[in-house]
Amino acid sequence: MAETEPNQRRLRPAPLLFEPTDASADPEHFFDLESIEDPRELLSRATELTHAFRAATDRAVEFQAVAAAQLADPKRFDRLTAADIAERAEWTEDYAKKMVEFGRGLLRDGTPGQ
């Protein structure tokens, strides 16, 4: 779960390009890495993808936490319990509680993407 200082600028990772359906059906095909012959270029591109996936994961987790906090908000007439959230997100109930608290912190300090 990435926590950043309010004034800390987020680094923009390499863009993740969506693969055509035909290519993604081939288990040996992965973002065209298999076609790169130069090991320096392969290492560079694979490293870019690694950073991009990590950044995407961190951002997605932040958005999950915000959504969990919003769903558990006691002001909502249709609020969900931690158990309900855990079931929807395929988490344990303890993890759902932690994500709700993390999300509340994000909402208090500024939602992701701001």
Side-chain angles (χ1 to χ4, degrees):
M1 290 180 262
E3 293 182 40
T4 59
E5 296 292 323
N7 295 330
Q8 182 181 356
R9 195 180 95 184
R10 289 188 180 272
L11 297 176
R12 296 285 180 206
L16 294 178
L17 304 176
F18 290 96
E19 296 188 277
T21 308
D22 295 343
S24 62
D26 180 3
E28 295 299 316
H29 185 84
F30 187 73
F31 287 89
D32 210 27
L33 293 179
E34 70 287 343
S35 69
I36 300 174
E37 294 182 16
D38 178 9
R40 288 179 188 91
E41 184 182 343
L42 178 59
L43 178 62
S44 177
R45 182 61 182 146
T47 301
E48 287 176 348
L49 285 170
T50 299
H51 291 296
F53 284 126
R54 285 180 185 153
T57 299
D58 289 346
R59 298 292 287 151
V61 167
E62 289 175 350
F63 281 104
Q64 282 182 313
V66 166
Q70 290 171 335
L71 289 169
D73 187 345
K75 295 178 212 156
R76 289 178 64 113
F77 77 93
D78 61 344
R79 72 180 168 271
L80 298 178
T81 65
D84 292 331
I85 294 168
E87 184 178 338
R88 285 176 182 237
E90 299 179 7
W91 297 332
T92 65
E93 189 172 342
D94 286 340
Y95 187 74
K97 290 176 184 175
K98 290 177 184 179
M99 288 295 279
V100 167
E101 289 306 312
F102 178 53
R104 287 179 178 154
L106 290 171
L107 288 169
R108 185 175 46 252
D109 300 337
T111 59
Q114 288 184 344

